[in-house]
Amino acid sequence: MKAISILPIGALAAISAGCVNTEHSASATGERYPWKKNIVTTVFWIGEQPSGNNPVPNRKSSWDKYWTRNYGGFDDPNPAHRSNYIPVKFTPRQNPFYCALPYNDKSANGHRPEAPRVVPWFKEVYQGPGVSTCKDRWVAIRKGNRTAYAQWEDAGPFRTDYWQYVFGNERPKPNLNRGAGLDVSPAVRDYLGLNDTDMTDWRFVEFSEVSRGPWSTLGENNTFVINGRKTGMELVEASKRAEGGAAVR
């Protein structure tokens, strides 16, 4: 959650004055989840060490205590050490297009008491008290006329309880990173051409809304990859059944 680049004065003034509002209604476009506009966005990465504006190391996430290991290593943010949106030293085992939002639906003994009420898809995806209903959820992140898609993999920046912003209409609260309300991975940064601190719009999306792109190719947690494997297995089974039927004849 570094905060190196300086935001334009006008953008910061609009935030502090409360002049930038979240879009509350989705009726005009038919989208289930509205865009949250002009959100201060910072870059974070798996394996990031603590610093002044990032007091928590990113070796683990809110939902994966072995995050770095399960990812495959340190997601080096240095552009000189990256190619095709991934680090050059290894191929990630999870989707390199990931993000963090300041809410964690899990508690030590299940889910937070408000989670079934505030997480819009809670009942649809609930798999028991030990499984987060937020982890791996797809998010659209927009800068200008360019949109990236990422999966929600951690809680932050700074807060893990701010459902009023993540799922409601409140704006992010002030914090050490100029009121940041979204953290994005180096892959998202590179695809959108973001500064280390920038402004983006974001919203939740259904998987059916996610177009194919560099975010659809890698990761054991990636819905595209998971569905592709299922389809492949189904084709193999269908082929076996067809061969069996042919042999009988």
Side-chain angles (χ1 to χ4, degrees):
M1 294 183 290
K2 308 292 184 185
I4 299 173
S5 301
I6 305 299
L7 287 172
I9 294 175
L12 291 173
I15 294 170
S16 62
C19 297
V20 186
N21 295 315
T22 298
E23 193 175 72
H24 300 319
S25 174
S27 59
T29 61
E31 294 166 346
R32 180 178 179 185
Y33 307 108
W35 286 99
K36 294 182 182 293
K37 294 186 174 182
N38 296 301
I39 301 297
V40 178
T41 302
T42 48
V43 180
F44 81 135
W45 52 91
I46 296 171
E48 181 179 7
Q49 296 299 310
S51 64
N53 287 1
N54 175 36
V56 180
N58 290 327
R59 292 187 300 272
K60 61 182 181 179
S61 76
S62 293
W63 302 309
D64 185 355
K65 64 180 179 179
Y66 303 114
W67 198 23
T68 302
R69 186 178 74 185
N70 291 334
Y71 185 73
F74 168 56
D75 194 19
D76 192 337
N78 186 338
H81 301 160
R82 303 182 67 82
S83 178
N84 295 322
Y85 306 108
I86 64 173
V88 296
K89 290 187 176 181
F90 67 98
T91 299
R93 295 197 295 265
Q94 295 183 354
N95 194 345
F97 285 78
Y98 55 87
C99 66
L101 292 166
Y103 182 74
N104 180 4
D105 63 328
K106 292 287 282 89
S107 65
N109 300 309
H111 291 85
R112 291 182 185 270
E114 78 281 353
R117 175 174 55 87
V118 302
V119 179
W121 54 81
F122 188 92
K123 294 180 181 178
E124 298 171 29
V125 305
Y126 182 76
Q127 298 180 48
V131 181
S132 170
T133 63
C134 296
K135 185 180 184 299
D136 298 329
R137 192 73 187 186
W138 285 93
V139 178
I141 303 166
R142 181 175 67 188
K143 176 68 176 180
N145 61 0
R146 199 163 171 84
T147 300
Y149 294 89
Q151 288 181 272
W152 186 5
E153 299 300 334
D154 197 10
F158 298 101
R159 296 183 61 169
T160 63
D161 61 349
Y162 199 16
W163 63 264
Q164 296 91 337
Y165 154 63
V166 176
F167 303 114
N169 295 325
E170 291 193 14
R171 296 289 300 176
K173 300 291 187 183
N175 56 45
L176 291 176
N177 279 349
R178 305 180 186 275
L182 173 67
D183 275 339
V184 299
S185 71
V188 176
R189 173 201 66 188
D190 295 345
Y191 185 84
L192 295 178
L194 301 178
N195 295 313
D196 290 323
T197 301
D198 216 318
M199 305 288 288
T200 67
D201 307 330
W202 73 267
R203 74 177 185 93
F204 294 116
V205 289
E206 302 292 350
F207 176 63
S208 60
E209 299 175 80
V210 182
S211 60
R212 286 193 173 273
W215 45 80
S216 63
T217 60
L218 294 175
E220 300 291 331
N221 63 325
N222 192 321
T223 317
F224 286 99
V225 175
I226 294 168
N227 289 352
R229 287 180 177 171
K230 287 180 180 177
T231 301
M233 292 174 64
E234 290 169 357
L235 290 173
V236 169
E237 290 300 319
S239 177
K240 288 180 178 179
R241 289 194 296 269
E243 290 174 2
V248 171
R249 294 191 193 94

